[in-house]
Amino acid sequence: MRLAPLRSLTGPQYFLLAGSFLIPLGSFAVLPFMSVLLHERLGMGLGTVGVVLAVASFVQFSGGVVGAAIAERIGLQRTMLLALVIRTAGFVCFLPGLGSPAVAVTALFLVSAGAALYLPANKAYLVHQVEEEQRPLLLSASSSALNAGIALGPIAAAPFVLSASAGLFTAVSLLFAAVTVGHALLPVEKPDGRPADVVEAPRPREKPFAGLPVLPFAITVLSVYVFMFFQHYLAVYAVPRTSTVFYALVLALYALLLVVAQPLLSDWIARLPYPRALRLGFTALATGMTTLALGHPAAILAGALLICLGEIVLFLKNDLEALNLSGRSPAVVFGHQRLAAGIGAFASGIAGGGGYDLAERSGHTGLFWAAVAVQCALLPPLLIHALRRFRPGRTTTALHRAR
């Protein structure tokens, strides 16, 4: 990867990259502990907590389509600002929510809705009016900053979640208020990324899913579906076989590899033909899941790092391919991609709980990871074959353009 282009970034781009670290840092100082707060501090039943968190996650992902539509109507900068105002209000509401389950759930949904509105506009603003060859670096740098914030947020907040919850929520609210003020100072852009002083004739409003690039959308659903088995069930699998310290080490190394490797590999990933990227990505996922099934500490670490490589290739390449194939604005494209991720995560949650429980009751939990590995190997070619059958022209054209 050539790091020289980083020196040519604009002030707003640098600010957004910094925000890509600070926003998840604040969010993940709180969100990973919501099940503990809702259950242990506020007394909600675990079943209710599970439903609340599942619905909130789905809102956060699927709401990206709404966020993209709003961005097309009022502009990227204004959408980001509106989203951060909503999200800041959500974190402020957690303060009275510490004594009221209803207020706490309302606060959680405000935070989730704000995230849904923000992310498509944020990515679109970051890449607007840049050359196509700059997109991989900007998107991968943003992803690395986001993952660094996700990794550090829980570590920074862990000592204060239960002992000083009010102080933690106050600090996060102030952080988001400061980031919101910074976004208010960004240049106002039109929904298509043109400067605000450029006037053009209004275009007919398109339907939300017009121009949807079906292949990268479907592959994103599948990528997130198989990946979320790892995200959801690694802890319950790894901790009894190792320790909480070893599990924390695995997560730290995973985050480090993700933060460092994705920008370094971004140019290479961008040049990869799409079919080859799919083969590499899903092979890494399948190999990683198979390695996890061995159950030894070294196998758990190796499997996690292989899965990280699969995530790096697939998630970035799917976004780039969607941008290349769609004629819609970047905000709409990223909204579609967020919806695809939400569908995949929701399907994984439905299938994963029963699947892991069945494997655990059989006394061979390694079979769970073996079954996921089989899906990583078989589902991608089956999905592509199905798309060719039902949408032969578009799917074949998309694959040939990617070669």
Side-chain angles (χ1 to χ4, degrees):
M1 184 197 90
R2 295 174 290 106
L3 292 177
L6 285 173
R7 303 191 191 100
S8 64
L9 297 185
T10 64
Q13 287 171 333
Y14 277 120
F15 175 79
L16 288 178
L17 290 178
S20 293
F21 170 74
L22 293 173
I23 289 173
L25 178 71
S27 298
F28 280 79
V30 172
L31 297 181
F33 304 103
M34 284 309 302
S35 59
V36 177
L37 290 170
L38 293 174
H39 177 59
E40 294 189 7
R41 178 155 186 158
L42 296 176
M44 293 179 63
L46 282 175
T48 303
V49 170
V51 171
V52 168
L53 294 180
V55 175
S57 296
F58 188 71
V59 167
Q60 181 169 330
F61 280 106
S62 63
V65 174
V66 178
I70 292 174
E72 280 201 316
R73 179 180 291 271
I74 69 174
L76 303 176
Q77 185 265 357
R78 293 188 181 97
T79 301
M80 289 191 292
L81 189 58
L82 172 65
L84 286 170
V85 168
I86 293 172
R87 211 166 187 192
T88 303
F91 284 113
V92 170
C93 285
F94 272 121
L95 288 167
L98 292 172
S100 168
V103 177
V105 171
T106 300
L108 178 61
F109 280 104
L110 284 173
V111 169
S112 299
L117 296 180
Y118 180 81
L119 287 168
N122 170 262
K123 283 188 173 183
Y125 193 103
L126 189 63
V127 301
H128 80 270
Q129 292 187 319
V130 304
E131 299 295 331
E132 187 172 327
E133 58 267 22
Q134 288 184 291
R135 286 177 171 179
L137 176 62
L138 286 168
L139 292 176
S140 61
S142 176
S143 177
S144 290
L146 182 144
N147 283 292
I150 289 174
L152 293 177
I155 296 172
F160 311 104
V161 170
L162 295 178
S163 61
S165 300
L168 175 62
F169 284 119
T170 299
V172 172
S173 298
L174 291 174
L175 173 63
F176 268 83
V179 172
T180 302
V181 171
H183 278 70
L185 301 177
L186 289 173
V188 175
E189 298 293 326
K190 282 196 169 185
D192 62 359
R194 294 175 182 243
D197 57 355
V198 175
V199 179
E200 63 176 3
R203 292 179 297 180
R205 194 170 303 281
E206 297 184 81
K207 295 180 179 180
F209 292 99
L212 174 72
V214 175
L215 181 61
F217 181 89
I219 294 295
T220 298
V221 172
L222 180 57
S223 301
V224 175
Y225 166 75
V226 294
F227 172 76
M228 291 304 289
F229 289 117
F230 166 80
Q231 188 86 342
H232 286 150
Y233 301 104
L234 180 64
V236 71
Y237 178 75
V239 171
R241 289 166 175 77
T242 57
S243 66
T244 54
V245 173
F246 185 85
Y247 175 65
L249 174 65
V250 170
L251 293 185
L253 291 175
Y254 187 101
L256 179 63
L257 178 61
L258 197 62
V259 168
V260 173
Q262 192 166 61
L264 292 175
L265 297 175
S266 61
D267 284 349
W268 173 72
I269 293 170
R271 292 193 299 267
L272 273 179
Y274 195 42
R276 188 179 303 169
L278 297 186
R279 288 194 295 270
L280 287 173
F282 282 109
T283 297
L285 290 181
T287 307
M289 301 294 180
T290 302
T291 306
L292 287 181
L294 299 177
H296 302 297
I300 291 172
L301 175 59
L305 297 183
L306 284 167
I307 290 167
C308 182
L309 291 175
E311 177 189 354
I312 288 171
V313 173
L314 288 173
F315 287 20
L316 176 59
K317 190 64 179 180
N318 286 334
D319 279 353
L320 293 174
E321 188 69 8
L323 283 171
N324 290 336
L325 295 180
S326 176
R328 301 294 298 275
S329 70
V332 171
V333 174
F334 291 127
H336 291 159
Q337 290 298 97
R338 289 289 294 176
L339 175 61
I343 295 171
F346 186 79
S348 183
I350 296 297
Y356 195 89
D357 180 63
L358 180 63
E360 194 172 53
R361 285 191 281 110
S362 74
H364 301 283
T365 46
L367 293 176
F368 173 81
W369 302 108
V372 178
V374 170
Q375 294 181 78
C376 292
L378 296 183
L379 291 182
L382 289 175
L383 175 61
I384 292 172
H385 176 75
L387 290 176
R388 280 176 173 164
R389 181 178 178 183
F390 292 104
R391 302 173 64 90
R394 295 187 181 183
T395 302
T396 303
T397 299
L399 285 170
H400 280 303
R401 286 179 60 183
R403 290 184 186 277

